[in-house]
Short mmCIF file of all heavy atoms in Angstrom, two decimals:
data_model
loop_
_atom_site.label_atom_id
_atom_site.label_comp_id
_atom_site.label_asym_id
_atom_site.label_seq_id
_atom_site.Cartn_x
_atom_site.Cartn_y
_atom_site.Cartn_z
N PRO A 1 -0.46 12.82 20.25
CA PRO A 1 0.55 12.15 21.09
C PRO A 1 0.61 10.64 20.87
O PRO A 1 1.62 10.01 21.17
CB PRO A 1 0.09 12.48 22.52
CG PRO A 1 -0.67 13.76 22.38
CD PRO A 1 -1.36 13.66 21.05
N LEU A 2 -0.46 10.08 20.33
CA LEU A 2 -0.48 8.63 20.14
C LEU A 2 -0.05 8.22 18.74
O LEU A 2 0.41 7.10 18.54
CB LEU A 2 -1.90 8.09 20.39
CG LEU A 2 -2.44 8.26 21.82
CD1 LEU A 2 -3.87 7.74 21.91
CD2 LEU A 2 -1.55 7.53 22.81
N VAL A 3 -0.22 9.09 17.75
CA VAL A 3 0.08 8.74 16.36
C VAL A 3 0.85 9.90 15.73
O VAL A 3 0.49 11.06 15.88
CB VAL A 3 -1.21 8.46 15.55
CG1 VAL A 3 -0.86 7.98 14.14
CG2 VAL A 3 -2.11 7.45 16.27
N ARG A 4 1.95 9.55 14.98
CA ARG A 4 2.75 10.57 14.29
C ARG A 4 2.73 10.28 12.80
O ARG A 4 2.96 9.14 12.37
CB ARG A 4 4.18 10.54 14.80
CG ARG A 4 5.08 11.63 14.16
CD ARG A 4 6.47 11.58 14.76
NE ARG A 4 7.16 10.35 14.45
CZ ARG A 4 7.85 10.14 13.32
NH1 ARG A 4 7.92 11.08 12.41
NH2 ARG A 4 8.46 8.99 13.13
N PHE A 5 2.46 11.32 11.99
CA PHE A 5 2.39 11.20 10.54
C PHE A 5 3.55 11.99 9.91
O PHE A 5 3.89 13.08 10.37
CB PHE A 5 1.06 11.75 10.00
CG PHE A 5 -0.14 10.96 10.40
CD1 PHE A 5 -0.76 11.18 11.63
CD2 PHE A 5 -0.63 9.98 9.56
CE1 PHE A 5 -1.87 10.46 11.99
CE2 PHE A 5 -1.76 9.24 9.93
CZ PHE A 5 -2.37 9.48 11.16
N SER A 6 4.11 11.43 8.85
CA SER A 6 5.16 12.12 8.09
C SER A 6 5.15 11.60 6.67
O SER A 6 4.65 10.50 6.40
CB SER A 6 6.54 11.90 8.73
OG SER A 6 6.90 10.52 8.68
N VAL A 7 5.70 12.44 5.76
CA VAL A 7 5.80 12.06 4.34
C VAL A 7 7.26 12.03 3.97
O VAL A 7 8.03 12.95 4.29
CB VAL A 7 5.02 13.04 3.45
CG1 VAL A 7 5.22 12.69 1.96
CG2 VAL A 7 3.53 13.01 3.79
N GLY A 8 7.68 10.96 3.30
CA GLY A 8 9.06 10.83 2.90
C GLY A 8 9.18 10.06 1.61
O GLY A 8 8.20 9.49 1.11
N SER A 9 10.39 10.05 1.08
CA SER A 9 10.61 9.33 -0.19
C SER A 9 10.82 7.84 0.03
O SER A 9 10.74 7.07 -0.93
CB SER A 9 11.83 9.94 -0.91
OG SER A 9 12.99 9.82 -0.08
N GLU A 10 11.09 7.40 1.28
CA GLU A 10 11.33 5.99 1.57
C GLU A 10 10.34 5.52 2.65
O GLU A 10 10.00 6.26 3.56
CB GLU A 10 12.76 5.77 2.05
CG GLU A 10 13.82 6.11 1.03
CD GLU A 10 13.79 5.19 -0.17
OE1 GLU A 10 13.31 4.03 -0.02
OE2 GLU A 10 14.21 5.61 -1.25
N PRO A 11 9.93 4.25 2.53
CA PRO A 11 9.02 3.72 3.56
C PRO A 11 9.79 3.41 4.86
O PRO A 11 10.89 2.88 4.83
CB PRO A 11 8.47 2.45 2.93
CG PRO A 11 9.52 2.00 1.97
CD PRO A 11 10.16 3.26 1.44
N GLU A 12 9.20 3.77 6.00
CA GLU A 12 9.83 3.44 7.28
C GLU A 12 9.51 2.02 7.72
O GLU A 12 10.21 1.48 8.58
CB GLU A 12 9.35 4.44 8.34
CG GLU A 12 9.85 5.86 8.11
CD GLU A 12 9.41 6.80 9.22
OE1 GLU A 12 8.77 6.30 10.20
OE2 GLU A 12 9.70 8.00 9.16
N ALA A 13 8.47 1.43 7.20
CA ALA A 13 8.14 0.03 7.51
C ALA A 13 8.91 -0.86 6.55
O ALA A 13 8.60 -0.88 5.35
CB ALA A 13 6.64 -0.22 7.38
N PRO A 14 9.93 -1.58 6.98
CA PRO A 14 10.77 -2.34 6.05
C PRO A 14 10.06 -3.54 5.45
O PRO A 14 10.36 -3.94 4.33
CB PRO A 14 11.95 -2.76 6.93
CG PRO A 14 11.39 -2.80 8.32
CD PRO A 14 10.35 -1.72 8.39
N HIS A 15 9.12 -4.11 6.20
CA HIS A 15 8.46 -5.33 5.71
C HIS A 15 7.14 -5.49 6.46
O HIS A 15 6.86 -4.77 7.43
CB HIS A 15 9.34 -6.57 5.91
CG HIS A 15 9.79 -6.72 7.34
ND1 HIS A 15 8.98 -7.21 8.33
CD2 HIS A 15 10.97 -6.40 7.94
CE1 HIS A 15 9.64 -7.23 9.48
NE2 HIS A 15 10.84 -6.72 9.27
N ASP A 16 6.35 -6.44 6.00
CA ASP A 16 5.08 -6.74 6.67
C ASP A 16 5.32 -7.80 7.73
O ASP A 16 5.91 -8.86 7.47
CB ASP A 16 4.05 -7.25 5.66
CG ASP A 16 3.68 -6.16 4.64
OD1 ASP A 16 3.84 -4.98 4.99
OD2 ASP A 16 3.25 -6.52 3.54
N SER A 17 4.85 -7.55 8.95
CA SER A 17 4.96 -8.56 10.02
C SER A 17 3.82 -9.57 9.90
O SER A 17 2.81 -9.34 9.23
CB SER A 17 4.94 -7.89 11.39
OG SER A 17 3.75 -7.13 11.55
N ALA A 18 4.01 -10.71 10.63
CA ALA A 18 3.06 -11.82 10.45
C ALA A 18 1.66 -11.49 10.95
O ALA A 18 0.67 -11.99 10.41
CB ALA A 18 3.60 -13.05 11.19
N ASP A 19 1.54 -10.65 12.01
CA ASP A 19 0.23 -10.38 12.58
C ASP A 19 -0.31 -9.02 12.15
O ASP A 19 -1.08 -8.38 12.87
CB ASP A 19 0.28 -10.44 14.11
CG ASP A 19 1.33 -9.50 14.68
OD1 ASP A 19 2.11 -8.96 13.88
OD2 ASP A 19 1.36 -9.31 15.91
N ALA A 20 0.10 -8.53 10.97
CA ALA A 20 -0.36 -7.22 10.49
C ALA A 20 -1.38 -7.32 9.37
O ALA A 20 -1.75 -6.31 8.77
CB ALA A 20 0.83 -6.39 10.03
N ASP A 21 -1.86 -8.52 9.07
CA ASP A 21 -2.80 -8.67 7.96
C ASP A 21 -4.08 -7.90 8.19
O ASP A 21 -4.65 -7.33 7.25
CB ASP A 21 -3.12 -10.16 7.74
CG ASP A 21 -1.91 -10.92 7.20
OD1 ASP A 21 -1.00 -10.25 6.68
OD2 ASP A 21 -1.88 -12.16 7.31
N PHE A 22 -4.56 -7.90 9.45
CA PHE A 22 -5.82 -7.20 9.72
C PHE A 22 -5.68 -5.69 9.46
O PHE A 22 -6.63 -5.02 9.04
CB PHE A 22 -6.27 -7.47 11.16
CG PHE A 22 -5.41 -6.83 12.21
CD1 PHE A 22 -5.77 -5.62 12.79
CD2 PHE A 22 -4.22 -7.43 12.62
CE1 PHE A 22 -4.98 -5.04 13.76
CE2 PHE A 22 -3.43 -6.84 13.58
CZ PHE A 22 -3.80 -5.64 14.16
N VAL A 23 -4.48 -5.13 9.69
CA VAL A 23 -4.25 -3.71 9.44
C VAL A 23 -4.22 -3.42 7.93
O VAL A 23 -4.83 -2.45 7.44
CB VAL A 23 -2.95 -3.24 10.11
CG1 VAL A 23 -2.65 -1.79 9.76
CG2 VAL A 23 -3.05 -3.42 11.62
N LEU A 24 -3.50 -4.25 7.19
CA LEU A 24 -3.41 -4.08 5.74
C LEU A 24 -4.79 -4.18 5.09
O LEU A 24 -5.13 -3.37 4.20
CB LEU A 24 -2.47 -5.12 5.15
CG LEU A 24 -1.01 -5.07 5.65
CD1 LEU A 24 -0.21 -6.22 5.08
CD2 LEU A 24 -0.37 -3.74 5.24
N ASN A 25 -5.57 -5.16 5.53
CA ASN A 25 -6.90 -5.33 4.95
C ASN A 25 -7.79 -4.12 5.24
O ASN A 25 -8.58 -3.68 4.38
CB ASN A 25 -7.56 -6.60 5.48
CG ASN A 25 -6.84 -7.86 5.01
OD1 ASN A 25 -6.21 -7.85 3.95
ND2 ASN A 25 -6.93 -8.92 5.78
N GLN A 26 -7.67 -3.58 6.47
CA GLN A 26 -8.48 -2.42 6.82
C GLN A 26 -8.11 -1.20 5.97
O GLN A 26 -8.99 -0.45 5.51
CB GLN A 26 -8.30 -2.09 8.32
CG GLN A 26 -9.05 -0.87 8.81
CD GLN A 26 -10.57 -1.04 8.76
OE1 GLN A 26 -11.05 -2.17 8.74
NE2 GLN A 26 -11.29 0.07 8.71
N ILE A 27 -6.79 -0.96 5.72
CA ILE A 27 -6.35 0.19 4.92
C ILE A 27 -6.83 0.05 3.49
O ILE A 27 -7.38 1.01 2.89
CB ILE A 27 -4.82 0.32 4.99
CG1 ILE A 27 -4.40 0.68 6.42
CG2 ILE A 27 -4.32 1.36 3.99
CD1 ILE A 27 -2.89 0.68 6.62
N ARG A 28 -6.65 -1.12 2.87
CA ARG A 28 -7.05 -1.31 1.48
C ARG A 28 -8.57 -1.20 1.34
O ARG A 28 -9.08 -0.71 0.33
CB ARG A 28 -6.55 -2.66 0.98
CG ARG A 28 -5.03 -2.74 0.86
CD ARG A 28 -4.59 -3.98 0.11
NE ARG A 28 -3.15 -3.99 -0.11
CZ ARG A 28 -2.29 -4.68 0.62
NH1 ARG A 28 -2.74 -5.45 1.63
NH2 ARG A 28 -1.00 -4.65 0.36
N LYS A 29 -9.29 -1.67 2.36
CA LYS A 29 -10.75 -1.59 2.31
C LYS A 29 -11.21 -0.14 2.38
O LYS A 29 -12.14 0.28 1.65
CB LYS A 29 -11.33 -2.39 3.45
CG LYS A 29 -12.85 -2.37 3.50
CD LYS A 29 -13.37 -3.21 4.67
CE LYS A 29 -14.89 -3.14 4.73
NZ LYS A 29 -15.43 -3.93 5.87
N THR A 30 -10.55 0.66 3.22
CA THR A 30 -10.92 2.08 3.35
C THR A 30 -10.57 2.85 2.07
O THR A 30 -11.33 3.70 1.60
CB THR A 30 -10.22 2.71 4.55
OG1 THR A 30 -10.56 1.97 5.72
CG2 THR A 30 -10.65 4.16 4.74
N LEU A 31 -9.38 2.55 1.51
CA LEU A 31 -8.96 3.25 0.29
C LEU A 31 -9.73 2.79 -0.93
O LEU A 31 -9.88 3.54 -1.91
CB LEU A 31 -7.45 3.03 0.06
CG LEU A 31 -6.51 3.65 1.09
CD1 LEU A 31 -5.07 3.26 0.79
CD2 LEU A 31 -6.65 5.17 1.11
N GLY A 32 -10.25 1.59 -0.91
CA GLY A 32 -10.95 1.06 -2.08
C GLY A 32 -10.00 0.74 -3.21
O GLY A 32 -10.44 0.68 -4.38
#
């Protein structure tokens, strides 16, 4: 109920927001 996942051919996030750096860093760190 808190998070929804889907796969598509286009990204739903149009751009990176100014305060999203901590999220991007966490994803890249987990993926390696």
Side-chain angles (χ1 to χ4, degrees):
L2 296 178
V3 185
R4 182 177 65 85
F5 293 85
S6 64
V7 175
S9 60
E10 297 294 334
E12 292 183 3
H15 54 78
D16 294 336
S17 58
D19 56 350
D21 291 342
F22 70 97
V23 176
L24 299 175
N25 294 333
Q26 178 66 21
I27 294 174
R28 292 192 175 100
K29 180 179 178 181
T30 303
L31 294 175

